[in-house]
Amino acid sequence: MTDELTREYEAVRSSVGAMWIDRDVLAVSGPDAESFLQGQVTQDVVALNVGASAWSFVLQPHGKVDALVRISRTADGYVIDTDSGFGALVRDRLERFKLRTKVEVEPLDWKVLALRGPQSQSIDAGDATIAANAGWPGVIGVDLLGAKPDVPNGVKVCSQDVYEVLRIESGVPQMGREMDEKTIPAEVGMNARTISFTKGCYTGQELVARIDSRGNNVPRHLRCLILEGSEDDAPARGSHIVPSQRNARSQKPMGVLSSVAYSPRLQAPVGLALIRRDVIVPAEGTIEGDSRAILCKIEAAPLL
């Protein structure tokens, strides 16, 4: 697997690669769609032109995360896509706040093809309905959304394993791993890309504004990890991270490993974790695996 993973990884780092990814897609339409979404998400959807996309949070009333979504404006309304398994949650959340508004929120049976690499933005979108900017820190990307997007001619089809490595190296959080209903938006480092601090009120705004005014001083921060060992040594997600014995004053947990994959570039497993704010990076930690303890370096995201 490592040889093929390396070939695919080199393709997306040097030219372009295509990966089918699992996303849930919703259509939001109706005469009140714009004003309704403007009051329900953190992004300024009014500022989106037709064909443009932007990332946003959908928040609970008390300000914690319901979902991280991407909103794309179309000629007929908006399309929202989110991590697989969270589309129904987003739909139910929006439906609960749909009071006396003419808005329809419906699932779309669409597929998503992720293009990653320096050449991805020059590729013809073909039959895709939406070509959404999907760049990450250190990675150029476009996602093609539609009923039947095609793999562009000459583009290598890669596995989701490569997508996962790039996501982790870029420090991009995923619902169900780095984020859940207890997450504060500022913890995952996405505020600059997802939140408008100049638009009007929206559900959950009070906590976001209060934390921003205090310098985003949140209990945890999303960090990248570089683990010792080989591809076969990677510990399971959910493993606890404690201070290494070299500098430990206590064994109080620093965080929990939420994602892990093997990086051909670093020739080591890499991971993501929400780490206590008092841990100053770079730092060392120990991941308590099933069979042995694994040392890791804790770094600020991304791993460029």
Side-chain angles (χ1 to χ4, degrees):
M1 173 180 165
T2 302
D3 290 344
E4 181 59 25
L5 178 68
T6 299
R7 286 191 288 270
E8 294 177 351
Y9 183 89
E10 289 174 348
V12 298
R13 282 297 189 186
S14 63
S15 55
V16 62
M19 294 145 283
W20 294 104
I21 60 174
D22 297 324
R23 304 279 294 171
D24 293 342
V25 188
L26 304 169
V28 182
S29 60
D32 296 333
E34 179 183 281
S35 60
F36 172 69
L37 282 180
Q38 187 75 342
Q40 296 302 318
V41 303
T42 60
Q43 188 60 261
D44 185 359
V45 299
V46 174
L48 287 178
N49 296 322
V50 172
S53 302
W55 293 98
S56 180
F57 283 112
V58 180
L59 300 178
Q60 303 162 26
H62 59 266
K64 293 187 178 180
V65 172
D66 266 332
L68 173 66
V69 303
R70 176 170 47 199
I71 302 174
S72 302
R73 189 162 198 164
T74 68
D76 302 320
Y78 296 87
V79 169
I80 293 177
D81 67 290
T82 189
D83 289 312
S84 178
F86 287 85
L89 183 151
V90 173
R91 185 186 183 191
D92 291 346
R93 158 65 177 76
L94 293 177
E95 290 284 356
R96 286 200 308 272
F97 286 79
K98 198 177 72 174
L99 304 174
R100 296 183 297 277
T101 56
K102 296 179 180 180
V103 176
E104 299 296 328
V105 183
E106 299 293 340
L108 293 173
D109 187 18
W110 280 14
K111 299 183 182 301
V112 182
L113 182 68
L115 303 179
R116 295 293 184 274
Q119 299 176 15
S120 58
Q121 292 185 337
S122 62
I123 300 296
D124 190 332
D127 293 332
T129 305
I130 294 172
N133 187 324
W136 294 335
V139 179
I140 297 172
V142 173
D143 286 349
L144 305 182
L145 292 79
K148 294 181 179 180
D150 295 322
V151 176
N153 291 334
V155 175
K156 182 178 178 61
V157 178
C158 302
S159 68
Q160 288 194 5
D161 292 332
V162 176
Y163 181 90
E164 184 72 350
V165 175
L166 293 175
R167 182 183 73 82
I168 292 172
E169 290 181 339
S170 299
V172 175
Q174 179 175 309
M175 291 302 306
R177 293 196 179 184
E178 289 70 46
M179 295 176 290
D180 59 23
E181 73 282 358
K182 299 177 183 178
T183 305
I184 298 170
E187 292 180 321
V188 293
M190 292 280 289
N191 280 15
R193 302 176 64 192
T194 59
I195 297 174
S196 169
F197 289 96
T198 58
K199 75 169 196 170
C201 298
Y202 56 86
T203 301
Q205 181 185 31
E206 183 179 353
L207 178 65
V208 172
R210 184 168 70 248
I211 290 177
D212 179 69
S213 69
R214 297 175 181 175
N216 291 319
N217 192 21
V218 286
R220 307 172 297 173
H221 294 283
L222 185 63
R223 303 300 189 194
C224 290
L225 312 176
I226 304 174
L227 286 60
E228 288 191 351
S230 66
E231 179 180 7
D232 296 331
D233 295 328
R237 291 190 294 113
S239 300
H240 285 85
I241 306 163
V242 298
S244 67
Q245 294 299 324
R246 287 177 239 178
N247 59 7
R249 294 182 179 177
S250 74
Q251 286 298 298
K252 181 180 178 182
M254 304 162 80
V256 174
L257 181 67
S258 53
S259 293
V260 62
Y262 183 78
S263 168
R265 176 171 63 92
L266 298 174
Q267 297 186 4
V270 293
L272 290 174
L274 285 164
I275 300 294
R276 294 194 334 254
R277 70 182 178 196
D278 62 336
V279 177
I280 307 301
V281 294
E284 289 185 343
T286 300
I287 300 177
E288 299 177 325
D290 292 334
S291 58
R292 67 183 184 89
I294 298 172
L295 290 176
C296 68
K297 296 179 181 178
I298 304 171
E299 305 277 357
L303 293 173
L304 297 178

